[in-house]
Amino acid sequence: CRTDGRKYVEKNSLEQKVLLQERDRARAVLKSKREAEISHEDIMADRRAANRLSDFQSRQRRKMIIEHLQNTVADLSKFNDEKNEEIKQLKREVHKVKEENQGLLRQLQPLRASQGLFVQHQQGNAPHPSSSLDSYNNRLNASQHMQDAGCPP
């Protein structure tokens, strides 16, 4: 028990309905008395009732905000996990396509050589048709070696 005569209120023991009634009762006491009859205790009772209600409402708002933020975090975490899985899948597909491309390029080189493209290059002044292919292969090989070493592309 409190020695000052005020009620002891445990945390979360009051509901908003009870707090509203207590505040309204304190306000009614103030309105029923003339200004000269209002005591300091009446004013403090009204203030305490209003503060209790305000505190309760503040705690409720905080709970709602925290719940909303927790839901947002859960949703964003799920979205992030989905996108990370999608990125992994796309990287696997890119790696597979690069390997397929390397195999096709290896198959293409003997065909070009057998068709005499190299001879045509030596006869004319045009750039060799496989020179851009060779530079592409060199870049692709360098990129593959970098990835094997753990470097980002």
Side-chain angles (χ1 to χ4, degrees), residues 66-94:
I66 288 171
E67 185 178 313
H68 174 72
L69 290 174
Q70 287 172 338
N71 290 338
T72 303
V73 166
D75 291 344
L76 291 175
S77 293
K78 182 180 176 185
F79 179 78
N80 193 26
D81 291 343
E82 290 170 358
K83 292 302 173 186
N84 283 335
E85 188 58 40
E86 186 178 338
I87 288 169
K88 287 179 186 177
Q89 178 62 30
L90 289 173
K91 283 183 178 182
R92 286 191 292 266
E93 288 179 23
V94 166

Side-chain angles (χ1 to χ4, degrees), residues 68-129:
H68 174 72
L69 290 174
Q70 287 172 338
N71 290 338
T72 303
V73 166
D75 291 344
L76 291 175
S77 293
K78 182 180 176 185
F79 179 78
N80 193 26
D81 291 343
E82 290 170 358
K83 292 302 173 186
N84 283 335
E85 188 58 40
E86 186 178 338
I87 288 169
K88 287 179 186 177
Q89 178 62 30
L90 289 173
K91 283 183 178 182
R92 286 191 292 266
E93 288 179 23
V94 166
H95 181 70
K96 185 177 177 181
V97 168
K98 282 183 179 180
E99 286 180 348
E100 183 181 345
N101 192 28
Q102 283 289 341
L104 291 172
L105 288 173
R106 278 188 234 107
Q107 291 175 6
L108 184 61
Q109 286 175 345
L111 291 174
R112 284 189 171 187
S114 68
Q115 290 179 359
L117 292 176
F118 185 73
V119 174
Q120 289 176 0
H121 167 66
Q122 289 176 344
Q123 292 173 354
N125 290 335
H128 190 282

Side-chain angles (χ1 to χ4, degrees), residues 23-64:
R23 185 201 61 188
D24 291 343
R25 204 175 309 117
R27 294 247 163 104
V29 167
L30 287 178
K31 288 181 181 179
S32 68
K33 295 182 178 182
R34 285 186 255 160
E35 237 181 271
E37 296 175 347
I38 297 174
S39 70
H40 180 71
E41 289 177 20
D42 291 335
I43 294 172
M44 293 307 291
D46 178 57
R47 191 175 290 170
R48 278 193 303 275
N51 284 344
R52 281 190 194 122
L53 178 62
S54 177
D55 290 345
F56 176 81
Q57 291 171 337
S58 176
R59 285 190 300 273
Q60 293 301 104
R61 279 192 305 272
R62 190 175 343 123
K63 284 179 186 177
M64 288 175 38

